[in-house]
Amino acid sequence: MRSKAPLTLIEQAVMLLVFALAAVLCLKAFVWADTQSAASARRDRALLAAQNAAETLKYCEGDFERAAQIGGGMWDGESWIVLYDEDWNVTDDMHTYSLHAVSGESGLDLLGQATVTVHQDELELAALQVCWQEVGGHG
Amino acid sequence: MDKKRTTFPAVVGGSSLLVIFAVLCLTVFALLSISTVRANQKLGDNSRQAVEGYYEADCMAEQILARLRAGESVEAVQENDGVYSYTCAISDTQTLAVEVALDGTDYTILRWQAVSTANWQADDTLPVWSGE
């Protein structure tokens, strides 16, 4: 009677190979999914930060210094800069994300305009344009 | 007298079944992860589009208001006894409706509201017992 051990051994080897291949592919998929999920969460959070800054600027009617006092960060005379750490807490030291609000030309005397952008290093995560009325009025 | 030796045949195929089951489970979970991430990405993109659309409409509305305050007459703006009304499109289904009372360069915002312009019809295809 011929031994079936070689057949079993070959079967085990083939199954191990198949499992290893499938595991590598699925692991790649899991890692990709995790990376994409983290990137998506970063973009959503950056958009929220940009929205908050835009609304603060509208409330302050373009007073960047006052906006910096309310929303954090600093006003250097040209732009309002807010630095965030990796957990999106405002920080002065090592930062992961940065928000810049820069005044722009609206073309109208009674209209103020600014562009708010959020960056992670060189990558732009969010950008919004915000306008407000200059001088006088209420509502 | 020869004794009959009973030998059990090698169990061929048992581990194959186990590995096939494990691979199937791995594949299903991987596909579920990918599907969830794609859905989240789509939601994030739609949300971003909605926010950017709102701020574009908001800027447009502020521009029109600034021009009205400067004394310009603007197309598509309706005026009724010092109250100016106009709309700015946010998306295909939403618009920003504005009503402002002007007195020279002073203004009072009466309405600055995002309203839906999509046709909405109640779905009454499922018959619900009315109690009678």
Side-chain angles (χ1 to χ4, degrees):
Chain A
M1 193 176 199
R2 288 180 68 181
S3 170
K4 288 196 177 176
L7 182 65
T8 310
L9 204 62
I10 290 168
E11 183 208 356
Q12 296 291 333
V14 169
M15 284 300 115
L16 198 66
L17 204 67
V18 166
F19 181 79
L21 192 69
V24 163
L25 289 173
C26 290
L27 216 63
K28 271 189 81 174
F30 288 135
V31 169
W32 178 86
D34 186 58
T35 308
Q36 291 300 312
S37 178
S40 197
R42 265 198 308 274
R43 278 199 304 272
D44 289 345
R45 191 59 186 82
L47 191 64
L48 184 63
Q51 259 187 286
N52 284 337
E55 291 301 326
T56 304
L57 272 174
K58 277 179 80 83
Y59 167 71
C60 297
E61 292 177 334
D63 187 346
F64 282 78
E65 197 169 356
R66 191 170 158 223
Q69 286 170 359
I70 295 172
M74 55 198 162
W75 161 243
D76 64 1
E78 287 183 1
S79 60
W80 171 26
I81 301 169
V82 186
L83 303 176
Y84 299 96
D85 62 13
E86 58 186 12
D87 294 324
W88 290 96
N89 298 313
V90 178
T91 180
D92 294 326
D93 299 326
M94 298 291 291
H95 66 278
T96 308
Y97 310 101
S98 61
L99 180 144
H100 295 257
V102 181
S103 179
E105 285 296 320
S106 64
L108 295 168
D109 292 337
L110 295 174
L111 185 72
Q113 186 177 296
T115 304
V116 180
T117 53
V118 181
H119 288 86
Q120 182 185 14
D121 296 325
E122 299 296 321
L123 177 67
E124 184 179 279
L125 297 175
L128 289 177
Q129 198 164 64
V130 59
C131 298
W132 59 85
Q133 299 299 311
E134 297 275 27
V135 184
H138 58 278
Chain B
M1 198 167 173
D2 291 330
K3 284 185 182 173
K4 271 194 180 173
R5 289 178 68 183
T6 54
T7 55
F8 294 99
V11 179
V12 176
S15 60
S16 304
L17 283 173
L18 204 64
V19 167
I20 286 167
F21 176 71
V23 166
L24 267 176
C25 286
L26 271 176
T27 308
V28 164
F29 288 136
L31 287 174
L32 277 174
S33 298
I34 292 171
S35 169
T36 305
V37 161
R38 294 285 284 269
N40 275 344
Q41 275 182 338
K42 198 174 174 190
L43 180 64
D45 288 342
N46 286 343
S47 170
R48 166 187 298 272
Q49 216 170 0
V51 169
E52 287 175 354
Y54 175 79
Y55 277 95
E56 275 177 24
D58 185 80
C59 267
M60 206 179 310
E62 293 277 11
Q63 280 177 17
I64 293 173
L65 178 55
R67 287 169 65 188
L68 289 172
R69 288 173 66 207
E72 286 182 43
S73 62
V74 183
E75 281 182 19
V77 174
Q78 293 166 349
E79 189 262 340
N80 182 17
D81 198 23
V83 175
Y84 295 80
S85 309
Y86 55 94
T87 59
C88 298
I90 297 173
S91 67
D92 294 337
T93 55
Q94 276 198 320
T95 187
L96 184 64
V98 178
E99 278 178 26
V100 179
L102 275 183
D103 182 15
T105 56
D106 288 340
Y107 65 96
T108 304
I109 295 175
L110 304 174
R111 186 187 188 200
W112 197 279
Q113 183 185 18
V115 294
S116 173
T117 54
N119 289 328
W120 181 81
Q121 287 179 340
D123 182 13
D124 56 2
T125 54
L126 181 68
V128 178
W129 183 54
S130 61
E132 293 175 2

